[in-house]
């Protein structure tokens, strides 16, 4: 370490071949040795030595040698100086090309990038290799395009993957949907077979609605009536095996005396019918079919046994829908109603002490049976309360609102028997004329008779009981009476010859009288 290094030019004279390069450590110049300028080794005009570069380039503390110092004017340009990756090294001044080659000289090759600034200093012959060809300097390249190409390739691959995934998903979805639809429609590969109850016996409990309907339907008929420019549809039921059928008077009224009445049975068979007798006051009529065998009459019940809340079944042809069955209960008993009155003279007004039911009854049900829980007739369906508040035996066209009325079968039986036997029915009467304009509570006896005669018929039941004009009848058999219509209804609910107890008021005093009902022929 104490010996001074010998300069190469001292050993060899000017023009001598250069000596072997001094060995340098891995990082360039030996520690403690001063770097030797290249021009000191080779004389003027000598070929420039190839610059040697250490592994890490020129150290930051060593100044870079100017190229023109090594080669004189007119000399061949020196080998290009290496430059770092980004151009000029930090701290080194760039050398102008014309300073090296001189005026008129061919342009020098591009300068090589210098070594990084942090590399140690190199010896004069560190980079010299007389047998090696000068290394070609690669042009500078930017990193961005390379990264962009990679991104583009990755994007294309990603888009290709996404597109392929979408295609696969679409195909899978369509295929799955088709398969799902087929499975839903066909229940899988096999045939569709849903769970279902087995075949049961058709018979029902005789007391059930279905059992009652099954027994009664063969005895219920549909009537189509026409004549005098009128037509209508109604219902009836078989009374006996001789072909007598009971229905409402307003059902057969369009036929008049020469009209047509066609009876259609539940089996679909039809037959022509004729009127046996009719009564507008009770709104009942009997027709008869001939040449029909195998008729099954409906059993008749007793309307006096009916109680509110009892179940009932109605059968008829509402709106010409034959064989329609509905059910409900008895909503009220002894409901006084009046129906009809289209003629204006009162000759067609019917007075009924009716059974009220909520079993749906509609136009076309008129004349059909109202059956009790054992399938027996307890009433003849005749009228409904329409939505506009009116009571129409035809039922109007408003449909059922749950207020239907039926003639009690006890009254219907008596009237039917009289119509079959005599062609007309008798009405029980008191023998008095009522003031129908009276607005007070009860039924008042008129001051004059309707036909100009006395208001209390001479020798009639009322006269014998002591009833006088102006008396107000307030009760019948202990039941209140609120109007003249109600008194007529209560009276016609009885038979001629029945005894009644009447409560009346005269001059502010109340008294009770007893009488036996008389008979009149249809008035």
């Amino acid at each position: 370490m104490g010996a001074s290094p010998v300069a190469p030019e001292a050993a060899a004279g000017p023009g001598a071949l250069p000596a072997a390069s001094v060995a340098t450590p891995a990082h360039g110049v030996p520690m403690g040795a001063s770097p030797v300028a290249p021009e000191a080794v080779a004389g003027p005009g000598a070929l420039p030595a190839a610059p040697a570069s250490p592994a890490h380039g020129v150290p930051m503390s060593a100044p870079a040698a100017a190229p023109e110092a090594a080669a004189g004017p007119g000399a061949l340009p020196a080998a290009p100086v290496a430059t770092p990756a980004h151009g000029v090294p930090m701290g080194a001044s760039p050398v102008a090309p014309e300073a090296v080659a001189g005026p008129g000289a061919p342009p020098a090759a591009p300068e090589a990038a210098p070594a990084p600034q942090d590399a140690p200093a190199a010896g004069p012959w560190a980079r010299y290799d007389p047998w090696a060809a000068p290394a070609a300097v690669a042009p500078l390249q930017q990193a961005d395009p390379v990264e962009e190409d990679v991104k583009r390739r990755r994007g294309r691959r990603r888009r290709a993957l996404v597109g392929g995934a979408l295609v696969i998903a679409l195909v899978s979805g369509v295929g799955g949907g088709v398969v799902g639809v087929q499975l839903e429609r066909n229940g899988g590969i096999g045939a569709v077979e849903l769970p279902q109850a087995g075949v049961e016996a058709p018979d029902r409990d005789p007391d059930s609605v279905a059992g009652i309907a099954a027994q009664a339907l063969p005895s219920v008929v549909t009537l189509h009536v026409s004549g005098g420019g009128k037509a209508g549809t109604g219902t009836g039921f078989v009374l006996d095996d001789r072909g007598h059928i009971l229905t409402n008077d307003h059902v057969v009224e369009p036929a008049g005396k020469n009209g047509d009445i066609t009876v259609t049975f539940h089996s679909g068979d039809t037959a022509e019918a004729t009127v046996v007798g009719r009564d507008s006051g009770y709104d009942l009529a009997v027709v008869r079919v001939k040449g029909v065998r195998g008729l099954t009459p409906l059993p008749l019940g007793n309307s006096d046994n009916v109680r509110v809340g009892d179940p009932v079944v109605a059968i008829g042809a509402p709106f010409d829908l034959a064989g329609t069955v509905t059910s409900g209960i008895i909503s009220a008993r002894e409901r006084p109603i009046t129906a009809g009155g289209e003629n204006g003279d009162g000759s067609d007004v019917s007075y009924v002490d009716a059974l009220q039911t909520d079993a749906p009854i509609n136009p076309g049900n008129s004349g059909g049976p109202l059956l009790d829980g054992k399938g027996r007739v307890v009433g003849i369906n005749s009228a409904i309360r329409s939505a506009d508040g009116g009571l129409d035996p035809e039922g109007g066209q408003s449909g059922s609102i749950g207020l239907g009325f039926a003639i009690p079968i006890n009254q219907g039986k008596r009237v039917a028997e009289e119509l079959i036997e005599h062609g007309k029915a008798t009405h029980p009467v008191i023998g008095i004329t009522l003031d129908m304009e009276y607005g007070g509570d009860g039924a008042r006896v008129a001051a004059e008779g309707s036909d100009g005669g006395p208001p209390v018929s001479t020798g009639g039941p009322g006269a014998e009981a002591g009833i006088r004009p102006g008396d107000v009848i307030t009760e019948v058999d202990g039941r209140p009476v609120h109007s003249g219509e109600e008194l007529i209804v209560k009276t016609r609910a009885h038979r001629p010859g029945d005894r009644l107890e009447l409560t009346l008021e005269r001059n502010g005093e109340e008294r009770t009288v007893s009488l036996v009902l008389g008979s009149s022929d249809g008035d």
Side-chain angles (χ1 to χ4, degrees):
M1 291 180 64
S4 301
V6 180
E9 60 272 16
L17 293 174
S21 59
V22 181
T24 60
H27 295 283
V29 181
M31 295 180 62
S34 300
V36 180
E39 60 273 15
V41 178
L47 293 174
S53 60
H56 296 284
V58 180
M60 293 182 65
S61 59
E68 60 273 15
L76 292 175
V81 180
T83 60
H86 296 283
V88 180
M90 294 181 63
S93 300
V95 179
E98 58 274 13
V100 178
E111 294 180 355
Q117 294 178 357
D118 56 350
W125 307 106
R127 292 185 300 170
Y128 177 74
D129 185 359
W131 308 108
V137 180
L140 297 177
Q141 295 181 349
Q142 294 181 348
D144 292 344
V146 176
E147 295 178 359
E148 184 66 19
D149 292 342
V150 173
K151 290 182 179 179
R152 287 179 181 176
R153 288 196 297 272
R154 290 178 180 176
R156 284 196 297 269
R157 287 197 297 269
R158 186 179 297 107
R159 286 193 294 272
L161 291 175
V162 172
L166 290 176
V167 172
I168 294 174
L170 179 61
V171 173
S172 301
V174 173
V178 172
V179 174
V181 170
Q182 294 299 322
L183 291 176
E184 181 180 0
R185 291 180 177 177
N186 302 325
I189 300 176
V192 176
E193 185 174 355
L194 300 176
Q196 184 180 21
V199 178
E200 298 178 352
D203 297 336
R204 294 291 184 269
D205 186 341
D207 294 341
S208 66
V209 174
I212 293 170
Q215 295 176 19
L217 278 170
S219 301
V220 180
V221 301
T222 302
L223 287 80
H224 294 91
V225 182
S226 62
K230 299 180 181 180
T233 301
T235 307
F237 59 93
V238 177
L239 289 174
D240 55 31
D241 56 4
R242 294 184 295 170
H244 291 108
I245 296 171
L246 182 62
T247 186
N248 281 137
D249 178 68
H250 71 261
V251 171
V252 301
E253 188 271 334
K257 294 181 179 180
N258 301 315
D260 296 326
I261 302 175
T262 302
V263 175
T264 303
F265 294 90
H266 183 62
S267 63
D269 297 331
T270 61
E272 298 297 321
T274 58
V275 176
V276 174
R278 45 184 294 210
D279 189 288
S280 61
Y282 288 111
D283 194 20
L284 291 171
V286 174
V287 300
R288 184 181 182 184
V289 294
K290 295 181 179 180
V292 180
R293 298 181 180 179
L295 296 178
T296 303
L298 274 180
L300 305 182
N302 189 331
S303 52
D304 289 342
N305 296 334
V306 174
R307 294 294 179 268
V308 174
D310 284 349
V312 289
V313 175
I315 302 178
F319 301 103
D320 205 14
L321 300 174
T324 298
V325 178
T326 58
S327 64
I329 63 169
I330 295 294
S331 303
R333 297 175 66 240
E334 299 179 355
R335 184 74 78 190
I337 65 169
T338 59
E342 285 80 8
N343 294 339
D345 57 2
S347 61
D348 61 338
V349 177
S350 59
Y351 299 89
V352 181
D353 201 23
L355 298 173
Q356 180 180 324
T357 179
D358 68 348
I361 296 173
N362 290 284
N365 273 106
S366 293
L370 186 68
L371 308 170
D372 65 8
K374 295 184 178 180
R376 302 172 299 193
V377 182
V378 293
I380 302 101
N381 300 319
S382 299
I384 65 171
R385 177 72 66 175
S386 61
D388 61 1
L391 192 66
D392 188 353
E394 293 289 346
Q397 294 298 319
S398 60
S400 174
I401 59 173
L403 292 174
F405 302 95
I407 300 169
I409 192 59
N410 289 7
Q411 182 175 318
K413 176 179 179 295
R414 179 184 70 82
V415 173
E417 290 171 345
E418 292 183 353
L419 292 176
I420 293 172
E421 187 173 355
H422 306 291
K424 60 182 180 180
T426 59
H427 297 173
V429 296
I430 297 175
I432 59 176
T433 300
L434 296 176
D435 180 6
M436 304 305 288
E437 301 297 328
Y438 178 66
D441 191 41
R444 185 172 69 179
V445 180
E448 296 180 0
S450 58
D451 55 357
V456 180
S457 301
T458 303
E464 293 182 359
I467 297 177
R468 298 178 183 179
D471 288 347
V472 178
I473 301 172
T474 58
E475 292 182 1
V476 174
D477 290 337
R479 296 179 180 273
V481 173
H482 303 289
S483 65
E485 287 85 356
E486 256 190 79
L487 179 60
I488 297 173
V489 169
K490 297 294 185 184
T491 301
R492 290 193 177 180
H494 294 78
R495 293 172 176 264
D498 290 347
R499 179 173 292 276
L500 296 182
E501 296 290 334
L502 303 180
T503 300
L504 54 85
E505 292 180 356
R506 182 186 299 163
N507 298 326
E509 295 181 1
E510 185 176 280
R511 62 182 65 193
T512 300
V513 298
S514 179
L515 55 85
V516 176
L517 292 173
S519 177
S520 71
D521 296 335
D523 49 337

